[in-house]
Amino acid sequence: MIDVTPNSTHKKNINQYKRFLEKWDMWNFAFLYEEVYFYVVDYSRITGKLSGYLILDSNGDVPSFEDVKVPAYYLMLYNTLMHNTINGIGPQMKKGMSTYEKMYQLLEKNRDRIIKSNPQLKEQLDQMIEHNKEAAKRPEKIKEIYYNIGEMQRKVTRGSGYFDTNYLVRLQDEFGKYGTLMYTFGIGERALKGPYKELSQLLSTKGLGVPSKDKSTIKALIKAWLSTVETNLKKSMATFELDERGKKLSIDHQNIKQSLANNREEIAKRDFNKKILPLLRNPQ
């Protein structure tokens, strides 16, 4: 009888084979480009790590590497936007805004008392009230963007089964509303750091006419905000103002939406060239 019990060398070869054994999955949508539908096939190792992409045309043929570079870019861009919507926008619309609501209510309630004592604080106080009032509405605005993108996605994955460049322009425009909202909110937060400190100091004085309970609550809200703003706000704003290399990005504050769109496109193309092109399996 022949002994077929795997020896150590046999086991090593099997494990090595398993590491390179692959499975593939075809994406359930296509990109229509110059009257040709292009599809993506994912290849992944048995470990689950992605090992490559193959782009097919409408006939199931494999176009050349050069012929699929543009379709591959748009397919990956669409997929990235959907991924960022689910993992980035989704959690934001669920965040509670009770602290902003409370701050807005207390500042508006005591506005005239504070201004009477310190008239020079009027403009900054009105900015605080408006900022907190708008911040409280933020989840609803984010939710609208999220569901609009979700509806657009369903038209592709459950409807036509494909998208084109015109569709992608509309999708990017809707996605850009989120970035504009978040960055504009961050600018407002950053601008209030000094005024909040000044208000907190003012509330420590006597004779304002502000009820002691309101004073304590406002000061506590400001203290909590200041304790997190240094790290959280800085990190959040860096996602807009710095690229993946830590290089400062140009943002025109008179045209934030377009500036952010231009920066996203530049980064997306750089990431595509660096991370996706090396994984394309279409023949060169």
Side-chain angles (χ1 to χ4, degrees), residues 7-18:
N7 56 34
S8 59
T9 303
H10 191 129
K11 288 180 178 179
K12 182 179 179 181
N13 290 340
I14 290 175
N15 291 334
Q16 191 175 42
Y17 171 73
K18 285 182 177 180

Side-chain angles (χ1 to χ4, degrees), residues 205-264:
T205 63
K206 298 180 180 180
L208 284 179
V210 177
S212 57
K213 184 178 179 180
D214 289 357
K215 275 187 180 183
S216 298
T217 304
I218 294 172
K219 287 177 66 178
L221 289 172
I222 292 175
K223 183 178 179 180
W225 183 87
L226 288 171
S227 69
T228 60
V229 70
E230 287 293 343
T231 53
N232 294 350
L233 183 59
K234 185 177 180 180
K235 186 184 296 184
S236 175
M237 295 300 276
T239 63
F240 297 103
E241 297 177 338
L242 303 176
D243 66 12
E244 74 284 2
R245 302 166 299 184
K247 183 180 178 182
K248 189 172 183 179
L249 296 168
S250 175
I251 300 176
D252 178 4
H253 284 207
Q254 300 303 313
N255 195 357
I256 291 174
K257 187 177 181 182
Q258 188 58 52
S259 293
L260 297 181
N262 293 342
N263 291 336
R264 280 197 307 272

Side-chain angles (χ1 to χ4, degrees), residues 1 4 13 23 69 92 135 154 156 192 208 230 240 280:
M1 181 177 292
V4 293
N13 290 340
K23 63 178 181 178
K69 284 168 70 174
Q92 286 294 331
R154 284 188 289 275
V156 171
L192 290 179
L208 284 179
E230 287 293 343
F240 297 103
L280 274 185

Side-chain angles (χ1 to χ4, degrees), residues 81-99:
L81 289 172
M82 291 307 172
H83 173 82
N84 290 344
T85 296
I86 294 170
N87 295 286
I89 299 179
Q92 286 294 331
M93 72 180 187
K94 298 175 183 178
K95 285 192 173 182
M97 294 286 114
S98 59
T99 56

Side-chain angles (χ1 to χ4, degrees), residues 14-223:
I14 290 175
N15 291 334
Q16 191 175 42
Y17 171 73
K18 285 182 177 180
R19 281 198 297 271
F20 290 98
L21 186 65
E22 295 180 325
K23 63 178 181 178
W24 62 269
D25 293 295
M26 181 175 285
W27 293 9
N28 63 347
F29 56 85
F31 172 57
L32 178 61
Y33 181 67
E34 295 182 346
E35 300 183 357
V36 178
Y37 294 93
F38 291 91
Y39 302 82
V40 179
V41 174
D42 272 352
Y43 286 85
S44 59
R45 297 193 177 97
I46 199 169
T47 58
K49 184 178 180 180
L50 184 70
S51 64
Y53 301 100
L54 182 69
I55 310 297
L56 305 177
D57 66 15
S58 311
N59 299 316
D61 295 329
V62 181
S64 71
F65 182 87
E66 287 299 322
D67 288 341
V68 301
K69 284 168 70 174
V70 172
Y73 171 75
Y74 286 119
L75 282 159
M76 300 302 165
L77 178 59
Y78 171 89
N79 203 47
T80 299
L81 289 172
M82 291 307 172
H83 173 82
N84 290 344
T85 296
I86 294 170
N87 295 286
I89 299 179
Q92 286 294 331
M93 72 180 187
K94 298 175 183 178
K95 285 192 173 182
M97 294 286 114
S98 59
T99 56
Y100 290 98
E101 291 175 358
K102 190 67 176 176
M103 180 68 88
Y104 153 65
Q105 292 166 356
L106 288 172
L107 291 180
E108 190 169 61
K109 173 185 174 183
N110 294 286
R111 175 184 179 277
D112 292 343
R113 296 187 183 100
I114 296 172
I115 292 175
K116 184 178 180 180
S117 177
N118 287 73
Q120 73 277 9
L121 200 61
K122 178 181 181 301
E123 183 177 349
Q124 292 178 328
L125 189 61
D126 286 342
Q127 287 176 350
M128 294 177 199
I129 292 172
E130 185 61 24
H131 177 77
N132 283 278
K133 185 177 181 180
E134 288 301 309
K137 300 175 184 176
R138 192 179 61 168
E140 286 303 313
K141 293 180 179 179
I142 293 175
K143 186 182 294 186
E144 181 180 356
I145 295 169
Y146 182 85
Y147 285 121
N148 284 344
I149 294 176
E151 180 61 27
M152 294 182 75
Q153 182 191 33
R154 284 188 289 275
K155 287 181 180 179
V156 171
T157 57
R158 301 180 189 177
S160 65
Y162 74 91
F163 68 95
D164 57 17
T165 51
N166 290 329
Y167 167 93
L168 203 53
V169 168
R170 297 193 301 274
L171 176 62
Q172 288 179 291
D173 181 73
E174 191 65 30
F175 187 86
K177 293 177 183 178
Y178 170 74
T180 304
L181 176 66
M182 296 299 287
Y183 185 63
T184 303
F185 172 78
I187 292 173
E189 291 273 274
R190 193 156 57 187
L192 290 179
K193 185 177 177 182
Y196 270 151
K197 286 183 177 180
E198 186 178 347
L199 177 61
S200 183
Q201 291 172 355
L202 178 64
L203 291 171
S204 298
T205 63
K206 298 180 180 180
L208 284 179
V210 177
S212 57
K213 184 178 179 180
D214 289 357
K215 275 187 180 183
S216 298
T217 304
I218 294 172
K219 287 177 66 178
L221 289 172
I222 292 175
K223 183 178 179 180

